[in-house]
Amino acid sequence: MLKAIIIIVLVVGAIVGGLLTLRNSGRAGVPSEDVLKRATKHARELDAEDKDEEGRSGK
């Protein structure tokens, strides 16, 4: 009986630990808001340059 309780506690602990790890690492690859804003601004600038070049080349 004691062995069963110990095994159950260990399994529950492993599951809870795994879930906490997943929760904390879920946003690890997401850049900060500032980086996203700079990337959006840079993309708009490049798009404006491309449109300007198309206008000059007569396309």
Side-chain angles (χ1 to χ4, degrees):
M1 179 75 170
L2 183 61
K3 285 184 182 181
I5 292 173
I6 292 173
I7 291 172
I8 290 172
V9 168
L10 289 175
V11 170
V12 169
I15 291 172
V16 169
L19 289 174
L20 288 174
T21 302
L22 283 175
R23 188 188 76 169
N24 291 337
S25 66
R27 294 189 53 111
V30 179
S32 67
E33 188 68 29
D34 185 45
V35 172
L36 292 174
K37 287 179 182 178
R38 285 193 316 242
T40 303
K41 180 182 176 188
H42 184 66
R44 286 184 187 141
E45 290 171 355
L46 289 176
D47 189 42
E49 287 177 14
D50 287 345
K51 287 181 181 179
D52 188 40
E53 288 177 9
E54 286 177 7
R56 285 191 222 158
S57 64
K59 288 185 178 179

